Amino acid sequence: MPGPDAEAAKPSPERATGVAGRRPTVLVLGGTAEANDLVRALGKRFPDHRLILSLAGRTRAPSLPEGAEIRIGGFGGAAGLAAFLRAEAVGLLVDATHPFAAGMARNGAKAADVAGIRRLKLLRPAWQAVDGDRWTEVTCLAEARDALPKGARPFLALGRQHLSPFFSRGDLAPLARMIEPPDPPLPVGWTLVLSRPSPDWRAEAELMRAHGASHLVTRNSGGEASYAKVAAARELGLPVVMIARPAVPEGPVFETVEALLAAVGRRSDLATE
């Protein structure tokens, strides 16, 4: 007959679900292709778990994976996120936000600490300069703006929310690409292209050539999906103003979905290491 130690070793319903009557819950802070891939992979590995994918809501028609609850909008800072983690009995928080989503990364780290739950970071590798690249590396948008010579026609591959620092440079004639029209409109003298980035460097090179771009200004987002513009600038011999990534909060960081899944393991209880 099992002794008291054996009975104590059995997982209780509360331990198995995080909170009595609830399934183990994973919250993924997303907005990246890697986040969508992770949600799909977690759904296959933990089919009985509840998956919540959180998006900032900046894109009107985001690409969404199946098998997850979708939450759109902010949490109200770290305190609001911590309250959400507790209310939804989240046992694992995965920060799979964009490498430049520094505020969300800080809030996620603080909220996980306050809520006392495990947090993992999925962060794709940064790009590295190779032979033929002509990079000027800077730390912020203001430095990127100031690095451009007078009269330049830079291709600002930055996203609409990161263009305002360049408005003060009336001598520039920038080319800006974005998925949705900006509000308010861009300044006079700017050229707007509404399209998604192409994965083909030849198409990116043709865009730069057709509009007479003199420089490329971009953030070091990393990954393959948006690297084509960097390769195109190299092929065209254009200088690149590369904005470095912000610091990452302390904690476990994984460069691939596979590496993060290996760290999670196959436990039904995701709340502890």
Side-chain angles (χ1 to χ4, degrees), residues 12 20 26-27 37 40 51 55 65 71 76 102 118 138 143 176 182 191 203 211 217 222 236 240 248 250 257 261 267:
S12 66
V26 180
L27 173 63
D37 292 342
R40 296 185 188 99
L51 302 178
L55 303 174
R71 185 192 182 282
R118 190 181 184 200
V138 298
E143 284 188 16
T191 300
H211 291 279
V217 180
L236 294 175
V240 176
V248 177
E250 291 185 7
V257 170
L261 285 176
R267 296 168 298 113

Side-chain angles (χ1 to χ4, degrees), residues 2-273:
D5 291 341
E7 289 297 321
K10 292 182 179 180
S12 66
E14 291 81 1
R15 184 65 170 173
T17 61
V19 172
R22 295 192 185 183
R23 294 178 293 161
T25 299
V26 180
L27 173 63
V28 177
L29 304 178
T32 61
E34 292 85 1
N36 290 349
D37 292 342
L38 176 64
V39 167
R40 296 185 188 99
L42 286 170
K44 291 179 180 179
R45 177 165 294 188
F46 301 110
D48 297 328
H49 286 36
R50 180 187 178 205
L51 302 178
I52 305 173
L53 175 62
S54 173
L55 303 174
R58 292 195 180 98
T59 303
R60 295 174 188 171
S63 175
L64 299 175
E66 296 182 358
E69 299 175 27
I70 305 300
R71 185 192 182 282
I72 297 179
F75 292 93
L81 177 53
F84 179 88
L85 296 175
R86 290 190 179 115
E88 300 299 325
V90 174
L92 172 65
L93 171 66
V94 180
D95 176 4
T97 55
H98 192 275
F100 281 81
M104 192 67 248
R106 288 192 298 268
N107 288 342
K110 185 174 181 180
D113 287 342
V114 170
I117 69 166
R118 190 181 184 200
R119 177 186 63 89
L120 304 176
K121 173 71 175 176
L122 179 61
L123 183 67
R124 58 188 179 232
W127 296 321
Q128 303 296 327
V130 299
D131 289 344
D133 282 331
R134 300 172 59 194
W135 288 13
T136 296
E137 298 188 72
V138 298
T139 62
C140 64
L141 290 166
E143 284 188 16
R145 174 200 61 205
D146 296 343
L148 293 168
K150 186 176 181 179
R153 181 163 173 74
F155 175 26
L156 303 180
L158 297 170
R160 59 182 176 176
Q161 68 269 34
H162 305 297
L163 298 178
S164 59
F166 296 86
F167 293 172
S168 63
R169 288 286 304 269
D171 61 297
L172 301 179
L175 165 66
R177 175 178 61 197
M178 55 198 73
I179 299 173
E180 298 166 357
D183 186 17
L186 296 176
V188 175
W190 288 47
T191 300
L192 173 64
V193 173
L194 293 177
S195 69
R196 292 183 179 275
S198 172
D200 185 347
W201 72 264
R202 297 172 184 82
E204 296 288 81
E206 179 54 33
L207 174 68
M208 297 180 201
R209 188 184 296 111
H211 291 279
S214 62
H215 296 72
L216 169 65
V217 180
T218 188
R219 300 182 299 170
N220 196 331
S221 300
E224 297 180 1
S226 59
Y227 183 72
K229 59 180 175 287
V230 180
R234 180 170 59 246
E235 293 297 326
L236 294 175
L238 297 184
V240 176
V241 180
M242 184 67 71
I243 303 172
R245 294 178 171 189
V248 177
E250 291 185 7
V253 178
F254 304 90
E255 293 187 342
T256 65
V257 170
E258 293 75 17
L260 189 144
L261 285 176
V264 171
R266 296 186 175 274
R267 296 168 298 113
S268 62
D269 171 22
L270 300 178
T272 57
E273 186 69 36

